[in-house]
């Protein structure tokens, strides 16, 4: 699997903004999808935003507030989060899915970065 490292989390007041980054290392032959997921205490991990097959998909709860983007050359995906709400508080995880350099499938997760929205 490729290695994913998230950064950019922190504490922000409601209405504030954060920009998360996910840097990938290691090779791959195909990259089918990259995305962001989050997990709040006591809850299951949920999809936030993905880029797959040229399409971008957002959870309804973040549409209009979050923007996912990528830098192919840097093998990095970003999540710009605006108008943050307390309900956005969670550990945010980067995900990548595809085929590695050995042509085996992978589904890789980063270690997570904490986002806390509180006044």
């Amino acid at each position: 699997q490729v290695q994913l490292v998230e950064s950019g989390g922190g504490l922000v007041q409601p209405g504030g903004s954060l920009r998360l980054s996910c840097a990938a290392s290691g090779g791959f032959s195909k990259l089918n999808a990259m995305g962001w997921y989050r997990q709040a205490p006591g809850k299951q991990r949920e999809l936030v935003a993905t880029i797959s097959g040229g399409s971008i998909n957002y959870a309804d709860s973040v549409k209009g507030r979050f923007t996912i983007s990528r830098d192919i050359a840097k093998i990095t995906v970003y999540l710009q989060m605006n108008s943050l709400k307390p309900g956005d508080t969670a550990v945010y995880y980067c995900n990548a899915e595809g085929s590695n350099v050995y042509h085996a499938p992978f589904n890789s997760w980063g270690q997570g970065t904490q986002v806390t929205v509180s006044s």
Side-chain angles (χ1 to χ4, degrees), residues 5-20:
V5 179
E6 304 99 332
S7 63
L11 174 65
V12 65
Q13 295 189 31
S17 298
L18 286 173
R19 182 177 173 86
L20 306 183

Side-chain angles (χ1 to χ4, degrees), residues 58-89:
Y58 296 99
D60 288 341
S61 60
V62 307
K63 286 182 178 178
R65 300 189 298 121
F66 292 9
T67 302
I68 188 171
S69 61
R70 63 182 175 181
D71 186 326
I72 296 177
K74 295 181 179 179
I75 319 177
T76 300
V77 64
Y78 306 93
L79 185 68
Q80 178 66 47
M81 305 186 294
N82 299 324
S83 302
L84 284 161
K85 305 175 181 179
D88 297 319
T89 296

